[in-house]
Amino acid sequence: MNADKLRTVDDWVSYYRHEFGLPVTERGGFVMLPVTSRIGVVHLPVARAEKVRSTLQQQYREAPMLARQIRWSFLAEPDSRPGDQVMEVLNGLDIGIPAVGSAVMLPTGLGRWTREGCHWVTPPARDSKLPPLSAIITTALAVGTGSGD
């Protein structure tokens, strides 16, 4: 499937399913990735997300990552849900973990400028295993932002 020839949201849904094996759906004219027991998401402020990405790369781990203006989102495999105390710390650091049943909008383009206002920093790969959610969270807590935390 050639991404340059994709025109409709339905084309993009088929592309994400076929090329990346993601269980996306069309909703309201957008490509939506449901958060499930098999695919989770971690939203991070940009400065922290860049450090997490760098740390993961140093560990020879890749994680699909979407960029938006003020937050970046990692796709992860939900291996465990943080407890209430950890969630409180994460919330205080503006780190979000959408609940199962919610969804994340994916771009209908592989370039930097899409109508959804997001783009892939690291696109998903069909046969790549998603990193554990706990690894993303642990790394996010460990790296700080470099701005005094």
Side-chain angles (χ1 to χ4, degrees), residues 107-130:
T108 52
L110 296 179
R112 190 159 169 84
W113 308 110
T114 66
R115 72 184 183 104
E116 296 83 6
C118 63
H119 66 275
W120 289 106
V121 174
T122 306
R126 179 176 253 310
D127 295 323
S128 291
K129 190 167 165 36
L130 294 175

Side-chain angles (χ1 to χ4, degrees), residues 85-139:
Q85 288 181 319
V86 173
M87 285 302 291
E88 208 172 295
V89 171
L90 295 174
N91 289 335
L93 296 171
D94 198 26
I95 297 172
I97 303 171
V100 170
S102 60
V104 174
M105 185 184 306
L106 300 184
T108 52
L110 296 179
R112 190 159 169 84
W113 308 110
T114 66
R115 72 184 183 104
E116 296 83 6
C118 63
H119 66 275
W120 289 106
V121 174
T122 306
R126 179 176 253 310
D127 295 323
S128 291
K129 190 167 165 36
L130 294 175
L133 183 75
S134 61
I136 301 285
I137 292 167
T138 301
T139 305

Side-chain angles (χ1 to χ4, degrees), residues 12-36:
W12 279 98
V13 166
S14 294
Y15 180 77
Y16 277 111
R17 287 179 181 168
H18 181 263
E19 293 298 313
F20 304 130
L22 294 174
V24 298
T25 59
E26 181 278 333
R27 190 168 73 206
F30 294 97
V31 178
M32 302 300 289
L33 176 66
V35 175
T36 68

